[in-house]
Amino acid sequence: MPINGNPRKDRFLKERTQLCPLFYPSDTPYESSSRSQVVLRLLTFIANGYLVRIVAPEVLGVVYVRLTLLLTTILFLSREPLRKVALTKHSLEEWPRLVALIWRSFPFSIGLAGLLVVVWVWLLDPPPLPHYSLGCVMFGVSALIELTAELPYIYLVNNLYIRAPLIAEGSMQIARTLITIILAHYSSSLLPFIIGHVVAAMVMTSLLWFTYFTKSGGYDKVWYENACVAPAHLRLMMSFGKQSVLKQLLTEGEAYVMTLFPVISFAQQGVFSTISRLASIVMRVGFKNIEDSYYLLFAQMLKRGLPREQQVLYSINFLSFSLSLSFSLTISLYLFFPL
């Protein structure tokens, strides 16, 4: 759990106050995440190319656009605000309140998943494929299974056990890919994808909880009876929730258009999603990892709510440099490498 004076955290902050982030040592969150993301994206691309040959394009369109959109919407709107609040510098006394916030936000995730599943099943035009309703329900269940692992994920990342979540997420994607490919040889319906997502979510959740109980030592409590949610945490989570809705709409805008409006067929959606994933691999591997790593860094170095004059000068200058660098890279890619 987040503890001031943690040797791993002190070493983490010391290295980053002495070294430029562009010349990190090999064992850093950014480089570890980048390597794993590159391998996983290549594996996913190869698997998609193989699935295109053995699965009907209509099935790929339903899975990669409609069902995946359901899954990502539940996960992002439930996970993003919570992680933004929890992945900051907290004292030992605040951990029970964070645990209470994590568990008491889970009913919201259940309600959100139920609402979206009802919309996907009853309000949207169903595709002419069997097991579509079952797929919507099980993708929602898969999202809830993943959300039960938020406590170990937040604990591990806050204590800088960066590789453990990466291994768990990588194992989830590998298990999902292998199960889907194997079962797709016996069935060309949605069932291989449904089973793959549910089993992969269980694999990731099990690995995170196992690592949590292994690393936490004496701080392995998963519930505190007398702990209550801090009002400041709740207000901050609501603020991040509003931003998450806008971010999700901007990120998955084309998927929402294809889901809500019959602009193209499901077969065309399958082809579009496969090409889109390949075209966005640079953005997903590069900028996504930069965002996650830098948020973790500045969340530990800066104190939320304090004015600029009371913050560490190096942290302020480094933050300004990072924002300028990200903006310059984005403009350069937009101008010279338009997608």
Side-chain angles (χ1 to χ4, degrees):
M1 60 174 301
I3 303 174
N4 291 335
N6 188 325
R8 292 174 57 87
K9 186 173 294 186
D10 293 341
R11 185 172 67 252
F12 174 83
L13 297 176
K14 183 179 179 180
E15 288 177 352
R16 281 140 186 81
T17 54
Q18 293 177 350
L19 299 172
C20 174
L22 298 178
F23 300 94
Y24 279 174
S26 59
D27 186 16
T28 63
Y30 175 73
E31 290 196 359
S32 299
S33 178
S34 297
R35 288 194 299 266
S36 62
Q37 287 292 330
V38 169
V39 173
L40 292 175
R41 295 296 175 186
L42 290 176
L43 176 63
T44 303
F45 174 71
I46 295 173
N48 289 339
Y50 182 73
L51 287 173
V52 167
R53 297 178 178 272
I54 62 176
V55 179
E58 294 81 4
V59 176
L60 294 179
V62 173
V63 172
Y64 288 156
V65 177
R66 182 169 290 193
L67 295 182
T68 301
L69 181 63
L70 172 64
L71 179 70
T72 56
T73 302
I74 297 172
L75 288 176
F76 191 83
L77 296 184
S78 301
R79 176 186 285 171
E80 183 75 2
L82 181 61
R83 289 185 177 181
K84 293 298 185 184
V85 174
L87 295 181
T88 54
K89 189 174 183 179
H90 297 290
S91 63
L92 176 63
E93 293 76 13
E94 290 182 289
W95 178 246
R97 293 193 170 190
L98 286 177
V99 173
L101 178 66
I102 293 170
W103 287 122
R104 290 174 183 174
S105 63
F106 190 70
F108 166 78
S109 302
I110 297 177
L112 177 64
L115 176 63
L116 291 179
V117 168
V118 169
V119 172
W120 256 244
V121 173
W122 297 102
L123 299 183
L124 299 179
D125 294 332
L129 294 174
H131 311 300
Y132 170 72
S133 299
L134 176 63
C136 293
V137 173
M138 297 311 297
F139 267 66
V141 172
S142 173
L144 293 178
I145 293 175
E146 292 187 40
L147 291 173
T148 58
E150 284 304 292
L151 174 61
Y153 177 89
I154 291 171
Y155 170 85
L156 293 171
V157 175
N158 258 328
N159 284 274
L160 306 180
Y161 296 107
I162 306 298
R163 288 185 176 179
L166 292 178
I167 292 174
E169 293 178 1
S171 301
M172 177 185 68
Q173 295 195 28
I174 293 174
R176 178 192 300 164
T177 302
L178 292 178
I179 292 173
T180 302
I181 290 178
I182 293 173
L183 296 180
H185 286 88
Y186 301 96
S187 175
S188 59
S189 64
L190 299 174
L191 287 178
F193 297 92
I194 296 172
I195 298 174
H197 275 77
V198 174
V199 174
M202 297 173 65
V203 169
M204 186 198 73
T205 303
S206 301
L207 289 175
L208 286 176
W209 276 109
F210 174 78
T211 309
Y212 171 74
F213 286 116
T214 303
K215 301 291 186 181
S216 61
Y219 303 100
D220 56 355
K221 287 187 177 181
V222 297
W223 178 256
Y224 294 85
E225 294 182 359
N226 299 324
C228 59
V229 179
H233 293 165
L234 187 59
R235 289 194 299 268
L236 190 59
M237 186 175 176
M238 294 178 64
S239 176
F240 278 122
K242 298 175 184 178
Q243 299 178 19
S244 300
V245 173
L246 178 60
K247 185 177 180 180
Q248 176 68 7
L249 291 175
L250 293 176
T251 305
E252 303 288 350
E254 73 280 359
Y256 284 108
V257 171
M258 290 186 291
T259 299
L260 298 176
F261 306 101
V263 289
I264 56 178
S265 65
F266 289 107
Q268 293 171 328
Q269 291 181 22
V271 176
F272 173 84
S273 63
T274 303
I275 298 175
S276 177
R277 293 186 180 198
L278 174 63
S280 62
I281 188 172
V282 175
M283 299 297 181
R284 293 178 183 272
V285 173
F287 287 100
K288 183 64 168 63
N289 297 328
I290 291 176
E291 177 186 355
D292 294 340
S293 301
Y294 277 11
Y295 184 85
L296 175 62
L297 171 62
F298 292 118
Q300 305 298 328
M301 296 178 65
L302 300 175
K303 181 66 176 179
R304 191 182 303 276
L306 291 181
R308 176 188 177 95
E309 293 75 15
Q310 300 182 23
Q311 303 284 359
V312 180
L313 180 60
Y314 173 81
S315 303
I316 298 298
N317 295 335
F318 184 28
L319 177 60
S320 301
F321 167 77
S322 303
L323 293 176
S324 301
L325 178 62
S326 299
F327 180 76
S328 301
L329 290 175
T330 303
I331 294 299
S332 300
L333 289 174
Y334 179 76
L335 293 177
F336 298 104
F337 301 97
L339 299 179

